[in-house]
Amino acid sequence: MKKNNNSEDNSELSSNGRSRRNLISRSGTLIASFALVSGGLTSTPALAANSNNDSADFDGFIRLSRLLTGHNSLDIQLGERLYSALCQKNTQFAGEVKQLSEFVKQNNIPDVETLDEKLKQQPLHDPMMTIIKAWYSGVIEPGYHATVYGYQQALMYQIPRDGMVIPTYAHNGPDYWVANPPPVDRLLTF
């Protein structure tokens, strides 16, 4: 009789256990899907910064950044991070980028020096300098606790890169461990 009771108890436990497992499984799937969706939202600069921004706004930011920095091969991922952060910091930033782009187009501005001269003492000078500082420093605000959006990719380290090591405590440079070690030309003899 005890065997019978145990088998009845086991079948009851099994059905209870199955319903608990289903609940846990469904909860885990739901949590994972929320994580994937929220992770996808933060990786897209247009969505993370402001729902009104779109890829055309970001493309305009990159085109303007190329003129302002004088570099055509800017790091797009760094650009996404900078654009998103600048839009979050200043809700008017996307509009200022559009105004700057229109000013450049209307006045046929060939380089940043000409733009700087024309914008002296005008409201669009500040956003222009904000973009330049962000690309060159890799941060969008000064201070000890500023968030770093790009360190190795910051333009201030790209220009002298052939003669200067990026400042770091890692002896072989930042992220040195991701590169393949140099090949061994000959075996050492002892």
Side-chain angles (χ1 to χ4, degrees), residues 2 5 17 24 39 41 49 51 70 80 90 99 101 107 111-112 124 131 153 155 159 178 190:
K2 283 187 175 183
N5 285 341
I24 291 171
L41 288 177
S51 61
E80 289 174 347
N90 176 4
Q99 289 175 353
S101 297
N107 293 292
D111 54 32
V112 69
L124 288 177
I131 294 169
Q153 305 90 352
L155 292 179
I159 296 168
V178 297
F190 296 97

Side-chain angles (χ1 to χ4, degrees), residues 82-95:
L82 291 174
Y83 183 70
S84 177
L86 288 166
C87 285
Q88 287 176 356
K89 182 181 175 194
N90 176 4
T91 57
Q92 305 300 316
F93 182 73

